């Protein structure tokens, strides 16, 4: 039988698809300026593949499917890194009674796995800049603070020069624009917070993030 934490985690999947499909053009534009332009498409194709598999008659477990698709099928650097985060959340939700415990342990394990593989530190202008402050804020069990910390962390990358990944070759071009992976992680955490803190608080933080992203890219059409 599925744990209550897993049932709650599973309930976020349709929302995750909705939020990322809506944000895809903004994420693509951001990665066109700061990377190679594939970030939003990679995410969208991964989530479409997940939706296809979940619609099958034998309907596999949602988070195990997210893990498998992102670890094995999604391209770019970020695909497998998201896969590691999904894997940690899936594993912890299966073992936790409470959803907040699963979030705390899963996001913290996910950060550790991403840093083990990608070797990025805070300040390198990657998704770690959104995840690390979120883990820190969630230690106190405050999901709203986790979301704000992730959004602040993602926005703080606009001032950073990339030292990891493809964006490191672009140097100054990315400065002034948030890192796409950090924005993607902050969007994910907005969605994961919804079962605890409601949609209104998450919508507000998501709008704060996406408004800043479109503000930074609006002159680059
Ligand atoms: P690629 O750079 O291969 O095109 P994507 O576009 O899929 O990859 O993803 C780019 C994102 O991946 C970046 O915005 C950054 O957040 C993240 N990233 C890149 N390298 C690392 C790393 N070593 N550790 C953590 N995140 C990374
Ligand atoms: Mg890219």
């Amino acid at each position: 039988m599925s744990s209550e934490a897993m049932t709650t985690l599973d309930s976020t999947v349709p929302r995750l698809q909705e939020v990322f499909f809506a944000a895809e053009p903004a994420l693509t534009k951001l990665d066109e300026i700061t990377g190679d332009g594939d970030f939003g498409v990679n995410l969208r194709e991964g989530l479409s593949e997940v939706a296809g598999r979940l619609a099958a008659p034998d309907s596999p477990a949602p988070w195990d499917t997210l893990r498998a698709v992102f670890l094995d099928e999604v391209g770019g650097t970020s695909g497998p890194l998201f896969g590691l985060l999904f894997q940690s959340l899936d594993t912890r939700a299966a073992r936790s009674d409470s959803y907040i415990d699963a979030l705390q342990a899963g996001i913290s394990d996910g950060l550790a796995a991403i840093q083990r593989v990608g070797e990025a530190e805070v300040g390198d202008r990657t998704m770690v800049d959104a995840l690390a402050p979120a883990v820190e804020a969630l230690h106190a069990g405050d999901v709203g603070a986790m979301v704000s910390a992730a959004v602040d962390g993602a926005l703080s990358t606009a001032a950073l020069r990339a030292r990891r990944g493809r964006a490191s070759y672009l140097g100054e071009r990315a400065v002034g624009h948030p890192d796409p992976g950090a924005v993607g992680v902050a969007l994910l955490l907005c969605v994961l917070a919804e079962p605890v803190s409601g949609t209104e608080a998450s919508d507000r933080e998501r709008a704060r993030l996406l408004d800043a992203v479109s503000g930074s890219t609006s002159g680059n059409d």
Side-chain angles (χ1 to χ4, degrees), residues 26-221:
L27 293 171
T28 295
K29 198 168 171 190
L30 200 55
D31 196 38
E32 277 166 4
I33 299 168
T34 66
D36 60 350
D38 63 343
F39 179 77
V41 175
N42 288 340
L43 267 178
R44 189 196 62 219
E45 286 182 355
L47 288 169
S48 297
E49 173 67 21
V50 169
R53 291 192 192 185
L54 295 183
D58 59 350
S59 193
W63 277 77
D64 187 51
T65 308
L66 272 168
R67 172 201 64 76
V69 168
F70 278 79
L71 274 182
D72 301 334
E73 315 276 345
V74 177
T77 310
S78 64
L81 296 180
F82 272 110
L84 291 171
L85 180 55
F86 294 153
Q87 180 172 42
S88 300
L89 283 160
D90 183 46
T91 304
R92 290 298 196 155
R95 291 191 210 146
S96 307
D97 290 328
S98 107
Y99 178 66
I100 293 194
D101 287 352
L103 281 189
Q104 252 171 351
I107 296 169
S108 173
D109 286 359
L111 170 64
I114 286 169
Q115 289 193 287
R116 202 159 48 236
V117 170
E119 298 181 337
E121 301 292 337
V122 168
D124 283 349
R125 191 187 158 86
T126 70
M127 55 177 68
V128 168
D129 290 307
L131 264 181
V135 166
E136 189 74 34
L138 198 53
H139 272 145
D142 184 341
V143 170
M146 169 194 78
V147 171
S148 299
V151 170
D152 287 342
L155 294 179
S156 77
T157 59
L160 298 172
R161 250 188 101 114
R163 288 196 289 261
R164 300 266 164 201
R166 215 182 289 275
S168 61
Y169 306 117
L170 296 170
E172 293 300 322
R173 204 175 101 189
V175 173
H177 306 284
D179 172 67
V183 172
V185 160
L187 286 175
L188 169 68
L189 298 189
C190 284
V191 172
L192 292 178
E194 285 184 9
V196 183
S197 52
T199 51
E200 206 180 301
S202 274
D203 281 350
R204 207 171 41 238
E205 286 299 286
R206 198 158 46 89
R208 179 163 76 90
L209 177 64
L210 292 176
D211 285 353
V213 168
S214 57
S216 101
T217 58
S218 62
N220 289 76
D221 287 315

